[in-house]
Amino acid sequence: MNAIRTTPPRPLDVTAIFPRLAPMARPAMRLHPRPGVPSVHESSAGGPLLWPADEPWPHCDKTHQGGEEALARLRLEQRIRANKAMHPDGDHPVPQHTPEEQAVLDRLNSEETWLDDSWLDAPVALLPVAQLYMRDIPILRPPVQTGADLLQVLWCPLEHFPEQHMPKTVAVIWRSAAAVTDILVTPPEAPVVTKGYVPEPCVLAPEQITEYPNLMELSKELQNQIRDGSIWQTKIAAVDSSYAPYPESFYHDHLSVAPGWKVGGWPQWGYTDPVPRDCSTCGTPMEPLLSVDSREWDSSTISWIPDEEQADASLNPCDPDLANPTTIQIADNHKLQIYFCPAAPEHPHMELMQ
Ligand SMILES: [Zn+2]
Ligand SMILES: [Zn+2]
């Protein structure tokens, strides 16, 4: 981690207006991923994992829709961007393909592959999505009595058939960082991928904030109070008059759930209404673990742009280089939410797209 990102104070203190929200406050940690060159010893999005050399790498054996991009090509493009960022004067050797990448590209481009591409149907190596050390994200809750202090999340980088538009085969792995002594240097990679499922390698700048539930998770009475503009219309109008007729939108966009990659907090809803999320093993209501978002803000959530980036974003707030540094694209600017069982984090997780 080499930067700080600071979420501006919320435009209104929502618990001062609706004290019944106060007990529902939950901590979340916005991750603020930004392109960089993370090591296996750092928290990252799309960076290399601290993985034991003698532990099998997870693969997906489901039926896939053909990939659209050679991962080797995307990897080289990523390294060239990182090289440019680190050496803006340009006097540094341009990255080249690794021998492993070149071998895959040669095979993809070979005449044999045009005649027989059955090797592309082999189980697909999962792709690193996030690596989170507890020292950086202390609100993580690992399984008890395991000594785990490192969470690793991987997913299948290909569309599944017939379920499309959402990454599948999500692996959630807890481990003790100190127990990994012999580190896997060259993990297997899928030959072809869905481009939007490959995060740009990013370092993180975790920041703890407080969230309140999405309107749809509140009691009907509280929902009605928030929709009733007369109670707080004047307060909203003083902040942004365009929201005065839509107090529930103001609550949604600026006061309740943060956009972007984050750990914990409350889930955002909108693609669907809230759905039951009970643990398949013990029935305990599951809680948000990690949200992987296709953007950190959009035109309706610019109040969440960190202080440090307000100036850069002032001309074009929705510039994808600023608003979506990971380049992740899930369906149409949606997010993947991973849930865990708070009673026993080792119980199976679940995912939803929102
Ligand atoms: Zn798969
Ligand atoms: Zn459970």
Side-chain angles (χ1 to χ4, degrees):
M1 295 189 297
N2 49 11
I4 289 177
R5 294 288 181 276
T6 313
T7 298
R10 295 301 80 210
L12 288 174
D13 178 1
V14 72
T15 57
I17 305 165
F18 302 106
R20 288 168 61 193
L21 283 171
M24 290 181 254
R26 271 191 194 170
M29 289 199 82
R30 303 186 76 192
L31 299 180
H32 301 302
R34 299 292 181 270
V37 187
S39 82
V40 296
H41 302 293
E42 289 175 281
S43 294
S44 64
L49 303 185
L50 183 77
W51 195 273
D54 60 355
E55 183 173 310
W57 189 264
H59 284 69
C60 176
D61 57 6
K62 299 289 195 302
T63 304
H64 295 108
Q65 193 93 322
E68 57 189 19
E69 291 271 357
L71 181 54
R73 233 183 313 271
L74 295 181
R75 289 297 191 217
L76 181 60
E77 288 170 8
Q78 291 174 344
R79 289 200 300 277
I80 289 173
R81 281 193 289 273
N83 186 56
K84 266 193 193 147
M86 289 176 75
H87 307 282
D89 46 11
D91 63 348
H92 200 263
V94 177
Q96 305 293 323
H97 283 301
T98 65
E100 291 83 7
E101 290 169 347
Q102 193 58 56
V104 173
L105 287 175
D106 289 347
R107 200 166 171 194
L108 281 170
N109 293 328
S110 71
E111 201 170 320
E112 287 76 34
T113 299
W114 289 105
L115 299 171
D116 175 16
D117 62 359
S118 56
W119 64 287
L120 294 170
D121 294 332
V124 172
L126 298 193
L127 187 87
V129 175
Q131 164 161 290
L132 306 175
Y133 284 90
M134 279 197 66
R135 61 171 191 257
D136 300 326
I137 297 115
I139 65 169
L140 284 169
R141 288 151 69 185
V144 290
Q145 294 170 345
T146 58
D149 59 356
L150 173 58
L151 175 68
Q152 296 171 326
V153 177
L154 306 88
W155 66 29
C156 178
L158 282 169
E159 291 281 25
H160 283 196
F161 186 80
E163 309 157 302
Q164 297 178 47
H165 313 308
M166 169 180 163
K168 294 278 187 177
T169 315
V170 178
V172 173
I173 294 159
W174 281 102
R175 68 172 77 253
S176 158
V180 185
T181 48
D182 197 4
I183 302 167
L184 182 67
V185 177
T186 310
E189 294 214 299
V192 289
V193 294
T194 299
K195 190 175 179 183
Y197 296 171
V198 181
E200 188 85 1
C202 286
V203 294
L204 307 182
E207 176 206 18
Q208 186 159 328
I209 59 159
T210 301
E211 291 189 331
Y212 299 94
N214 178 284
L215 193 76
M216 289 188 278
E217 297 205 88
L218 300 174
S219 68
K220 283 281 175 267
E221 190 187 353
L222 196 46
Q223 286 188 33
N224 290 336
Q225 287 178 15
I226 289 175
R227 286 198 177 97
D228 179 1
S230 64
I231 293 178
W232 56 318
Q233 209 164 15
T234 47
K235 288 185 167 65
I236 295 173
V239 177
D240 185 341
S241 59
S242 68
Y243 272 102
Y246 313 105
E248 69 275 19
S249 297
F250 191 77
Y251 177 77
H252 178 276
D253 292 347
H254 304 301
L255 303 180
S256 51
V257 182
W261 289 51
K262 64 172 186 177
V263 166
W266 284 95
Q268 190 59 286
W269 302 100
Y271 182 65
T272 70
D273 287 357
V275 297
R277 312 176 295 286
D278 295 336
C279 173
S280 61
T281 303
C282 72
T284 302
M286 300 182 94
E287 293 181 9
L289 174 62
L290 174 67
S291 186
V292 175
D293 209 335
S294 299
R295 50 194 175 181
E296 190 162 315
W297 61 79
D298 62 16
S299 58
S300 62
T301 53
I302 55 175
S303 77
W304 296 95
I305 299 176
D307 286 338
E308 294 79 2
E309 288 163 325
Q310 293 273 349
D312 286 345
S314 58
L315 284 180
N316 179 13
C318 296
D319 177 351
D321 285 346
L322 287 170
N324 185 19
T326 64
T327 71
I328 283 292
Q329 192 52 252
I330 297 169
D332 182 15
N333 285 326
H334 286 63
K335 53 184 79 65
L336 186 84
Q337 300 169 339
I338 303 173
Y339 292 84
F340 78 108
C341 172
E346 64 275 21
H347 285 172
H349 61 275
M350 67 170 284
E351 302 96 46
L352 288 173
M353 185 179 77
Q354 284 299 318

